Amino acid sequence: MRDFFHSKLFVFILLILVICGGLMVLSAIMGGPSPFSNFFGSLLTPLQRLASAIGDKISSFTGYLYKYNSLVLENEQLKKELAEKRELEDDYYTLLNENEMLRELAGLKEEHPDYSMLPALVVSKPDNSLNVTFTLDKGTRDGVKKGDPVISGQGLVGYVSEVSYNHCEVTAITDMSSRISAAVSRTSETVVVEGTFELASKGLVRLSYLPVNCDLKNGDVIKTSGYGGIYPSGILIGEVVRIDVESHGMSNYAIVKPLTDFDSLVTVYVITDYGE
Amino acid sequence: MMKNKTARIILYVVLTVCAAVLQTARGTRIEVMGVSPDMLVSIIVAVGFFDGPYIAGSLGLFAGVLCATSSSWPEGLPALFLALCGVLCGVTGKRYFRSYAVASILVALVLIFVRGLIDYVFYYQMVYSAPFGSMLLKTLVKTAISAPLSVLCVFAVSLINRRFPERRD
């Protein structure tokens, strides 16, 4: 035992005790980590950061392996839930549209009891800004014929220019080829509503060849006259927004804003028979 | 002789740093029931058995200072514990054990358990009045999950020791 106290090992253990005791005292005096601890900590931190980054990469990769089955199940369940939700959403919008359509139809039926109307959905529109033609989801199988007038809840839309088995194409009243015999609601004066290239992009139509002394005012409502064979009488077209003199000065013209909003058109009614 | 000894010490230091990083870094730290395994004790014990008390004691001191920041113990105490573990194993290993590898693993597990007792049972129970049963369970879990890693650490130390043996001219 006496040899031990004189041995190198005893001195070494004493040294350890002194160093460790010194560290404790230093830490207590400084009220926090000692400079040694700070130094080793600062060396260790970048290595720990690197190890964490590598560990994260590995665990994110291996996570796919050991979580694969649960992820597949979760994915399938979520897909199923999503499909159900989509179906519900689709049903909701279908019912909403149908409801709106039926409300409009009920109103129109009251207004025009002699009309046979077929509700139709606008399924496509041309990808230009003119919106002069569009396609409906009804065709010959539904009783649609070429030349049938098309109206919306607000007013006149156009006529069926082409018809196929399950769809048809409608030419709007704003189209350049459109010429409609109309009448001013207030005065019953007959006018011609026509589409022009310049106005089509703005969704407007024009009343041409108005006599200079024509009794027309801004806000006057224009409706179909029933002459010309395509459109029945009394369907609202739009209202006058501007009256001006033609460039040659012999007559006036007016700009009419259609009551139908062609940009938001979804549901329309094809008049398959109007009893004339 | 000096060359091999230096290489061994450098490799022990590298192994200790790696173990300290792996057992404390967020991405690599293994955690079971809120406790993580201890590899440093196993390395120090194995070095004590294979290389004697001086290298093991010094390495224990270094390891203790290195992990002081990530330890709940007061600074200096982990270094004291690990250094004394190294010295104890270095002194007793050559005298009382034949198979250093098996002895290293067993002694390391005992010391990990002791360290766990000090850490969880004494510290947490005394300071935070933690339930004794739960803390004892944590200590046992820590010892159990340290066992496989302890085998690896002892194997690594033994490999370094065999690769760079003590030459006697």
Side-chain angles (χ1 to χ4, degrees):
Chain A
M1 193 67 181
R2 201 176 162 185
D3 288 344
F4 173 72
F5 290 112
H6 290 99
S7 69
K8 216 167 78 175
L9 187 67
F10 175 72
V11 178
F12 181 66
I13 292 171
L14 212 60
L15 192 69
I16 288 171
L17 287 172
V18 168
I19 292 171
C20 293
L23 280 172
M24 286 182 214
V25 171
L26 199 62
S27 169
I29 290 169
M30 293 186 76
S34 71
F36 297 102
S37 174
N38 273 337
F39 173 73
F40 284 112
S42 61
L43 285 181
L44 210 60
T45 307
L47 294 171
Q48 285 169 328
R49 199 180 297 149
L50 180 72
S52 292
I54 295 168
D56 286 345
K57 287 270 177 202
I58 292 168
S59 63
S60 67
F61 175 73
T62 53
Y64 287 117
L65 301 175
Y66 69 82
K67 287 181 185 166
Y68 182 78
N69 286 337
S70 63
L71 285 173
V72 166
L73 280 174
E74 193 182 333
N75 191 29
E76 273 176 18
Q77 199 184 336
L78 288 172
K79 273 184 181 172
K80 204 175 161 185
E81 276 178 27
L82 185 66
E84 282 171 8
K85 292 272 187 282
R86 276 187 181 153
E87 212 170 301
L88 276 174
E89 190 187 31
D90 186 49
D91 286 351
Y92 168 76
Y93 283 115
T94 306
L95 288 171
L96 201 70
N97 287 335
E98 202 177 297
N99 187 33
E100 195 181 331
M101 198 164 70
L102 289 170
R103 275 171 191 272
E104 270 186 13
L105 191 62
L108 286 169
K109 280 270 184 199
E110 260 178 44
E111 209 175 317
H112 307 286
D114 51 337
Y115 292 177
S116 295
M117 287 188 286
L118 181 71
L121 284 174
V122 177
V123 288
S124 74
K125 284 180 180 179
D127 54 357
N128 58 43
S129 60
L130 299 178
N131 276 343
V132 288
T133 58
F134 45 88
T135 310
L136 304 182
D137 67 340
K138 295 287 188 287
T140 50
R141 71 167 178 192
D142 307 292
V144 177
K145 303 177 295 296
K146 192 174 177 178
D148 279 349
V150 180
I151 60 170
S152 70
Q154 294 85 43
L156 188 64
V157 173
Y159 68 97
V160 175
S161 50
E162 276 176 37
V163 63
S164 299
Y165 178 68
N166 60 354
H167 70 275
C168 65
E169 194 177 278
V170 174
T171 297
I173 54 170
T174 51
D175 186 72
M176 287 164 284
S177 65
S178 172
R179 297 275 187 283
I180 305 161
S181 178
V184 180
S185 203
R186 183 172 56 85
T187 59
S188 300
E189 195 169 346
T190 308
V191 287
V192 174
V193 176
E194 58 180 18
T196 66
F197 179 77
E198 293 79 24
L199 294 174
S201 60
K202 296 171 190 166
L204 302 171
V205 287
R206 175 186 163 111
L207 302 181
S208 300
Y209 315 116
L210 298 173
V212 180
N213 58 353
C214 173
D215 182 17
L216 194 69
K217 291 191 287 193
N218 281 350
D220 271 348
V221 174
I222 309 297
K223 59 181 184 179
T224 54
S225 65
Y227 305 127
I230 293 182
Y231 302 106
S233 61
I235 298 173
L236 299 176
I237 296 175
E239 60 178 32
V240 176
V241 290
R242 202 176 95 208
I243 304 159
D244 219 333
V245 184
E246 294 274 13
S247 55
H248 49 73
M250 304 286 284
S251 60
N252 287 355
Y253 73 93
I255 304 297
V256 173
K257 185 174 171 26
L259 294 172
T260 301
D261 182 9
F262 289 95
D263 288 331
S264 59
L265 206 58
V266 178
T267 310
V268 294
Y269 307 94
V270 181
I271 302 173
T272 51
D273 185 23
Y274 52 88
E276 280 180 25
Chain B
M1 194 177 89
M2 279 307 288
K3 202 180 169 186
N4 267 12
K5 194 177 178 181
T6 311
R8 264 201 333 268
I9 292 169
I10 289 169
L11 285 172
Y12 289 151
V13 168
V14 170
L15 186 68
T16 306
V17 171
C18 286
V21 169
L22 289 175
Q23 74 178 34
T24 54
R26 177 184 46 78
T28 54
R29 187 182 148 97
I30 305 163
E31 218 173 86
V32 179
M33 289 172 65
V35 292
S36 54
D38 194 335
M39 290 188 280
L40 290 174
V41 173
S42 306
I43 292 169
I44 304 303
V45 167
V47 171
F49 274 96
F50 285 97
D51 250 307
Y54 299 105
I55 294 177
S58 309
L59 196 70
L61 198 66
F62 168 72
V65 177
L66 197 66
C67 69
T69 47
S70 55
S71 171
S72 56
W73 291 19
E75 197 176 333
L77 213 57
L80 183 65
F81 179 82
L82 290 172
L84 288 182
C85 281
V87 172
L88 186 75
C89 292
V91 172
T92 55
K94 286 199 191 315
R95 286 186 191 172
Y96 304 109
F97 297 98
R98 282 189 182 176
S99 170
Y100 291 166
V102 176
S104 298
I105 295 165
L106 292 174
V107 172
L109 291 178
V110 170
L111 289 173
I112 288 167
F113 183 75
V114 170
R115 196 183 177 184
L117 279 182
I118 297 168
D119 205 353
Y120 294 114
V121 179
F122 289 99
Y123 180 71
Y124 283 103
Q125 207 190 8
M126 285 171 78
V127 179
Y128 298 105
S129 308
F132 177 79
S134 156
M135 291 298 108
L136 190 66
L137 185 69
K138 274 187 187 294
T139 308
L140 286 168
V141 171
K142 189 181 181 78
T143 311
I145 59 171
S146 298
L149 293 169
S150 190
V151 174
L152 281 177
C153 292
V154 172
F155 177 71
V157 171
S158 120
L159 207 68
I160 293 167
N161 196 264
R162 262 184 282 157
R163 178 68 185 81
F164 300 98
E166 194 94 10
R167 282 187 202 146
R168 300 198 186 278
D169 300 320

